[in-house]
Amino acid sequence: MDSEVLRKVPAIQEFFKIDPDKELAEGTKLFLEAMTEVHIPAGTDVVTYGAECNDGMYIVLDGKVDVLSQKGDLINTLGVGDFIGELGLINDDTRGATVRAATDVKCANISKNLFEEIAAANRKIYGTFINMLYTKTTKLITEQERIKSELAIATQIQEGCLEHDFTEFNRLEDVKITAHMRPAKEVGGDFYDVFKIDDRHFCFLIADVSGKGVPAAMFMSMAKTHIKNYAMLGLPLGEVATRTNNQLCYKNEAGMFVTVFMCVLDLETNEVTFINAGHNKPFIQKQDGDFCMIEAKANLVFGMMEDMPYKEQKLVLEKGDCLYLYTDGVTEAMNPKEEFLGDAYLEQILNKRKSDSADVEKFVEDMYEEVDEFADGAMQADDITMVYISRK
């Protein structure tokens, strides 16, 4: 191929350390000129898992390709300037993934045999290639460190926003409450809160922000702050929801949103006023009966559309009753058969463990054990959060 055409591709400039204002180094020029242009129709494999690496390395010049695992699961999507199979030029391993053209694709290609031939004739070509691999590996390591740092920051934000000491609330007569959040490896935006509004009312809530990492953690922090600030003013819960939603909609260019189930318990009347902003419906146990899912009409999630009305709903949480709130990390827990835990099984395990329903810490610990037993070692893909209140 024409080395002058290839040198204009930004990714090639980066990986081969090409200065646009200078002549190409001899090794780089020979390497690029040895490449040929190939066209691959959409749906065709560029490289196939388990195949030999004789076809060598590709550089995407136009179009997109999907990187697929051995099972055919999508791992990544690559585009213009991305490299495919570069390690195949210097080792004898078979392909570790399938790369399939998502669109019609144009690539620059150099076969393994041709690379070995020209590298034997001119060692500068081999050196150029090794330098390119070093640059790429360094970039990947730097990117991994950046992601690791961001995840650490997100974890700190998430953990710093969560209450862990419920002593103040558990001193209340006939009220025991706890909440736990177990993050997935990729930090999401689950959160909860429990706070007194006055001597008669206290608020408890659970929520799940869309997205992962630092953006989700920041959005979580804002949502939690707005909810508490408006609730502490003694506003009706519907107004708390509307004002919080409007604040989260403001300049929300990223289109993030949060599902919320928030409640205010009146300790004198035993009445719970609640708002369901697109969240999973909780389960209630009346006296020593079975747990069952409550009726809770869903309103729009927070952050999507301004000036939305939020309907207040009510239930009675009398002495002897319990209420279990959770995020979709519970019901969407998956086992090795790729089966979801689901609502029906959640109800089943709640009732399996109901003998411990008076002991809030033991009960929540039991529920985490049940989720883990169902998952049977499968990776936790989402945060798993639970809020539990018992009046026994």
Side-chain angles (χ1 to χ4, degrees):
M1 287 189 69
D2 186 346
S3 60
E4 291 302 314
V5 172
L6 291 176
R7 72 176 292 168
K8 295 177 182 177
V9 178
I12 292 177
Q13 292 177 2
E14 179 182 0
F15 286 119
F16 286 96
K17 296 182 178 179
I18 296 172
D19 186 337
D21 299 323
K22 294 182 179 179
E23 292 290 325
L24 282 174
E26 181 183 356
T28 301
K29 187 173 187 295
L30 291 172
F31 185 97
L32 295 179
E33 288 179 344
M35 304 194 83
T36 58
E37 184 176 307
V38 295
H39 294 261
I40 302 163
T44 304
D45 287 355
V46 182
V47 299
T48 304
Y49 176 86
E52 299 294 330
C53 298
N54 296 331
D55 53 331
M57 182 187 89
Y58 299 81
I59 303 174
V60 180
L61 301 178
D62 189 36
K64 293 183 178 181
V65 298
D66 291 332
V67 183
L68 309 174
S69 70
Q70 179 183 0
K71 295 181 178 180
D73 297 326
L74 180 65
I75 299 172
N76 197 6
T77 297
L78 306 178
V80 174
D82 285 320
F83 289 65
I84 301 169
E86 59 272 19
L87 289 176
L89 294 182
I90 59 172
N91 65 38
D92 294 323
D93 293 338
T94 57
R95 298 296 190 188
T98 293
V99 180
R100 185 168 297 154
T103 65
D104 289 345
V105 173
K106 180 172 71 174
C107 292
N109 168 251
I110 183 170
S111 70
K112 184 175 183 178
N113 288 339
L114 179 57
F115 173 75
E116 290 175 347
E117 181 182 325
I118 63 174
N122 189 326
R123 300 305 296 174
K124 289 184 179 180
I125 293 176
Y126 189 82
T128 295
F129 180 71
I130 295 300
N131 284 337
M132 182 275 287
L133 284 182
Y134 175 77
T135 301
K136 183 174 183 180
T137 302
T138 302
K139 181 183 178 184
L140 286 174
I141 293 172
T142 302
E143 180 67 9
Q144 289 171 352
E145 288 300 316
R146 181 190 66 79
I147 292 172
K148 183 178 178 181
S149 176
E150 284 193 0
L151 290 177
I153 293 169
T155 300
Q156 291 173 3
I157 294 171
Q158 190 176 38
E159 282 293 323
C161 286
L162 299 180
E163 180 65 57
H164 298 288
D165 184 1
F166 302 98
T167 306
E168 177 184 3
F169 307 100
N170 292 335
R171 290 194 185 112
L172 298 172
E173 185 179 357
D174 300 317
V175 175
K176 295 293 182 288
I177 191 166
T178 193
H180 291 273
M181 188 276 294
R182 188 171 73 188
K185 289 183 179 179
E186 189 175 4
V187 180
D190 278 14
F191 69 94
Y192 59 80
D193 204 359
V194 181
F195 56 90
K196 289 178 67 175
I197 297 173
D198 54 41
D199 290 338
R200 176 174 168 175
H201 301 90
F202 81 92
C203 180
F204 55 99
L205 61 99
I206 193 165
D208 184 3
V209 175
S210 63
K212 304 286 184 183
V214 172
M218 295 297 293
F219 199 77
M220 174 206 73
S221 179
M222 290 190 296
K224 184 173 180 290
T225 300
H226 290 315
I227 291 170
K228 186 170 185 177
N229 286 346
Y230 289 127
M232 290 298 291
L233 295 175
L235 299 173
L237 200 58
E239 188 171 347
V240 172
T242 297
R243 291 193 182 194
T244 298
N245 174 60
N246 285 347
Q247 289 290 340
L248 295 176
C249 287
Y250 180 66
K251 290 188 176 180
N252 182 14
E253 288 86 358
M256 301 190 74
F257 62 87
V258 56
T259 70
V260 185
F261 200 101
M262 59 179 177
C263 309
V264 173
L265 171 61
D266 185 324
L267 294 170
E268 291 187 8
T269 66
N270 300 326
E271 191 173 67
V272 175
T273 303
F274 65 88
I275 295 286
N276 180 13
H279 198 79
N280 303 73
K281 297 178 183 178
F283 285 81
I284 191 169
Q285 181 192 38
K286 301 295 290 181
Q287 301 298 320
D288 292 322
D290 287 342
F291 280 91
C292 60
M293 184 180 285
I294 70 170
E295 292 296 326
K297 181 180 178 182
N299 293 270
L300 189 67
V301 298
F302 291 169
M304 292 291 288
M305 187 179 299
E306 290 183 272
D307 299 324
M308 292 297 297
Y310 287 87
K311 181 181 179 181
E312 294 182 4
Q313 301 170 75
K314 297 183 185 294
L315 61 85
V316 176
L317 195 70
E318 300 173 297
K319 295 179 181 179
D321 298 347
C322 303
L323 190 63
Y324 172 81
L325 288 69
Y326 58 99
T327 58
D328 60 10
V330 175
T331 50
E332 293 181 7
M334 187 179 290
N335 64 20
K337 297 178 182 178
E338 298 187 351
E339 299 168 330
F340 289 116
L341 187 144
D343 294 336
Y345 190 67
L346 176 56
E347 183 173 345
Q348 181 180 328
I349 60 179
L350 283 166
N351 287 311
K352 175 183 174 182
R353 297 287 192 163
K354 69 179 183 180
S355 60
D356 290 327
S357 60
D359 185 337
V360 293
E361 292 295 338
K362 178 67 167 61
F363 186 76
V364 169
E365 181 181 319
D366 289 347
M367 293 306 298
Y368 274 103
E369 287 180 1
E370 289 287 349
V371 173
D372 289 343
E373 184 175 333
F374 173 84
D376 192 23
M379 185 182 71
Q380 180 184 326
D382 199 1
D383 298 347
I384 297 176
T385 307
M386 305 180 191
V387 175
Y388 181 61
I389 179 169
S390 172
R391 301 205 66 191
K392 296 187 175 183

